[in-house]
Amino acid sequence: MSETKKERFIRIMTKRIDRIKHEHKLIGNLANKYVYEYDISLVHQVEDELLKNLDFHLQKFYVEDIQPFKFKD
């Protein structure tokens, strides 16, 4: 039996989420002040960039069909 579109989505999304979680752990490792030097402004820049990027891509799941432009009478 072939894989359904939903099953494929779940399979691929699971792998991608696991990979992202691993990368987030690596970012978290940079919080070690014994090894790295940083200030809170750098942390905020990273946070802003990650959240902006995540929001941008998640919005793709919520986009409804765009209606063509029409002038009002």
Side-chain angles (χ1 to χ4, degrees), residues 30-41:
L30 295 170
N32 185 341
K33 289 242 180 191
Y34 291 106
V35 179
Y36 306 103
E37 182 178 322
Y38 57 90
D39 58 43
I40 198 67
S41 70

Side-chain angles (χ1 to χ4, degrees), residues 4-67:
T4 66
K5 289 181 179 182
K6 183 175 182 178
E7 290 168 339
R8 183 170 184 257
F9 174 86
I10 291 170
R11 178 178 55 83
I12 292 172
M13 184 63 85
T14 301
K15 287 180 183 180
R16 291 181 184 181
I17 293 296
D18 288 343
R19 192 168 63 228
I20 290 168
K21 287 170 66 174
H22 173 72
E23 295 296 326
H24 284 184
K25 180 180 182 279
L26 296 179
I27 291 172
N29 291 346
L30 295 170
N32 185 341
K33 289 242 180 191
Y34 291 106
V35 179
Y36 306 103
E37 182 178 322
Y38 57 90
D39 58 43
I40 198 67
S41 70
L42 293 172
V43 174
H44 285 295
Q45 289 177 52
V46 171
E47 180 182 18
D48 290 346
E49 182 62 23
L50 291 174
L51 291 175
K52 180 176 68 175
N53 191 269
L54 177 62
D55 186 55
F56 173 80
H57 291 290
L58 286 178
Q59 287 302 314
K60 294 176 182 180
F61 289 98
Y62 300 104
V63 173
E64 295 181 17
D65 290 334
I66 298 173
Q67 299 298 318

